[in-house]
């Protein structure tokens, strides 16, 4: 039996890969959502909320402003100092299309990038795509001032490049993440999503007010430059697999390869598409991703608009408040990943039960928060913000649910599986801003409630489907196609795990 001692995570090459992947996720999220914040100060508005809550205008206990309007009322003003002095006269329909067209590009390159990353490695594929994203960010101000169709084009190309990120991450984790580190490593990488949202909402709002190139232009220039720096670090410090890394220790390389099984440390040649398309556990992930992404995309593209139109936060408050839900999600997602791995490693729950329990908590908790937010009035704005923060905490439980489930089902095909499920899961990004725009033509609190009710209904549906169809075990079709065994006998040193425990671990991961 081949013996492999457990290599520490901290100061390891797989930890460095995770740090860079986390940073890359943050950068690509910034490129994706910077327009959502910048649009608030780019567009000239003649219809704004000028009334404020009692905490600003009135004595405690009063529900009306000094103007006699209620907090949620919309007042039409023209040519006043309160109007938003942006550069562009884009209407609501144009803005919705501009925000959603990113996902039309995003949906095209998912599956090709997943196959390329699995076949040729994620390092080059992701690095080149991020270079494209950087160029798109740098060109956005010039395109915006030239013609609105050029903004559509650059956002579409940005979507093509950004789509490569997560399939590449999954493909590389399939080669780098030991079984009982999958949840926490994946969680840490994906925590770049809320951190990207935090930094973008907070700093972009300040740049709108105090940045160069009319404020909003600096948002795109800075995100593009940071993206370029990340690309340089990525190409220099990473490798597609432990065997290809020039600085990895022999101990860490043997530990990773034996714990995953060398069958997963290989290039993919033939993809079992029929088995993937007819797998119920795969479709459980698809449904989970669609329902979760609808809420997620609604948040990252529409939260600043909701805070301005329904809750009457100004631009500087908007950025700080918009970032608070993602700070909550960042902290909780790190804890969720660790807990999910611990309960599996200590055999408190099987992998299947762990995935189902964590995802059910995520969806049902989100639904409860969304319904509750829909019951609140503008005067209860800070309660609404707390509930939105709590909603993102529940959202982070998907780090122990469907988001890491691809690696359980088929580590060799994790990039391709994620590409497939995320392709379908991108559809909400295309339609969520349009649906929300259609549901809120007058920008009232009552209309925004309908947006939250739709989100709650979808997450409830997702909880039911995932609970009954999901699985957490290696699938038969995911083993080696050339007849070689995907199993490698291994164990940690005695001070880490007993021989008997580790034999059982091997059986669990290869069934």
């Amino acid at each position: 039996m081949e013996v492999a001692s457990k290599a520490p995570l901290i100061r390891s090459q797989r930890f460095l890969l995770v740090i860079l992947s986390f940073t890359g996720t943050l950068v690509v999220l910034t490129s994706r959502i910077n327009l959502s914040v910048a649009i608030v100060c780019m567009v000239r508005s003649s219809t704004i909320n000028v009334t404020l809550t009692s905490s600003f205008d009135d004595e405690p206990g009063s529900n009306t402003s000094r103007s006699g309007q209620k907090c949620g009322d919309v007042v039409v003003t023209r040519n006043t100092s309160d109007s938003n002095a942006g550069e562009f006269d884009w209407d609501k329909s144009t803005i919705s299309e501009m925000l959603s067209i990113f996902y039309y590009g995003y949906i095209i390159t998912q599956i090709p990038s997943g196959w390329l990353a699995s076949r040729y490695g994620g390092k080059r594929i992701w690095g080149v795509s991020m270079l494209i994203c950087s160029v798109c960010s740098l060109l956005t101000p010039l395109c915006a001032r030239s013609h609105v169709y050029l903004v559509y084009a650059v956002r579409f190309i940005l979507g093509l490049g950004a789509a490569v990120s997560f399939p590449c991450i999954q493909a590389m984790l399939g080669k780098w993440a030991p079984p009982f580190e999958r949840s926490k490593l994946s969680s840490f990488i994906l925590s770049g999503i809320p951190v990207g949202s935090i930094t973008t909402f907070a700093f972009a709002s300040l740049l709108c007010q105090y940045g160069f190139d009319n404020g909003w232009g600096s948002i795109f220039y800075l995100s593009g430059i940071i993206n370029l720096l990340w690309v340089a670090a990525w190409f220099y410090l990473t490798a597609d697999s432990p065997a290809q890394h020039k600085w990895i220790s022999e101990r860490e390389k043997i530990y990773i390869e034996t714990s995953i099984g060398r069958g997963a440390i290989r290039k993919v040649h033939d993809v079992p598409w029929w088995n993937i398309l007819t797998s119920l556990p795969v479709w459980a992930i698809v449904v989970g991703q669609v329902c979760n992404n609808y809420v997620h995309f609604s948040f990252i593209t529409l939260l600043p608009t909701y805070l301005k139109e329904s809750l009457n936060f100004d631009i500087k408050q908007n950025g700080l408040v918009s970032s608070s839900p993602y700070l909550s999600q960042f902290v909780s997602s790190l804890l969720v990943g660790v807990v999910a791995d611990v309960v599996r490693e200590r055999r408190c729950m099987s992998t299947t039960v762990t995935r189902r329990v964590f995802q059910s908590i995520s969806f049902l908790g989100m639904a409860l928060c969304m319904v509750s937010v829909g019951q609140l009035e503008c005067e209860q704005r800070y309660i609404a913000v707390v509930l939105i923060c709590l909603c993102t905490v529940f959202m982070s439980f998907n780090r122990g649910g469907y988001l890491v489930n691809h690696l359980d089902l088929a580590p060799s095909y994790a990039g391709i599986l994620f590409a497939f499920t995320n392709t379908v899961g991108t559809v909400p990004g295309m339609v969520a801003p349009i649906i929300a725009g259609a549901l809120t033509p007058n920008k009232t609190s009552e209309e925004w409630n309908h947006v939250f009710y739709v989100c709650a209904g979808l997450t409830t549906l997702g909880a039911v489907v995932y609970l009954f169809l999901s699985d957490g075990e290696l699938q038969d079709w995911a083993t080696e196609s050339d007849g070689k065994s995907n199993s490698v006998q291994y164990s940690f040193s005695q001070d880490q795990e007993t021989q008997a425990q580790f034999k059982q671990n091997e059986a669990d991961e290869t069934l």
Side-chain angles (χ1 to χ4, degrees), residues 14 44 82 90 112 117 123 133 136 232 244 387 443 481 500 506:
R14 68 187 185 279
R44 193 175 302 121
D82 292 321
W90 299 329
K123 175 182 175 177
C133 291
C136 289
Q244 295 174 302
L387 285 171
K443 309 177 183 180
S481 58
E506 181 201 5

Side-chain angles (χ1 to χ4, degrees), residues 7-26:
L9 175 61
I10 304 300
R11 293 189 296 179
S12 66
Q13 293 303 320
R14 68 187 185 279
F15 188 65
L16 176 60
L17 174 70
V18 168
I19 292 290
L20 287 170
S21 299
F22 160 83
T23 311
T25 303
L26 186 158

Side-chain angles (χ1 to χ4, degrees), residues 14 40 59 146 156 293 386 403 418 422 438 482:
R14 68 187 185 279
V40 177
E59 297 298 324
S146 299
F156 179 80
N293 284 3
V386 170
L403 268 181
F418 192 91
N422 205 37
D482 57 5

Side-chain angles (χ1 to χ4, degrees), residues 438-457:
L439 291 174
T440 58
N442 300 311
K443 309 177 183 180
T444 64
S445 298
E446 291 76 13
E447 290 174 342
W448 274 103
N449 292 346
H450 299 153
V451 176
F452 290 116
Y453 294 151
V454 170
C455 291

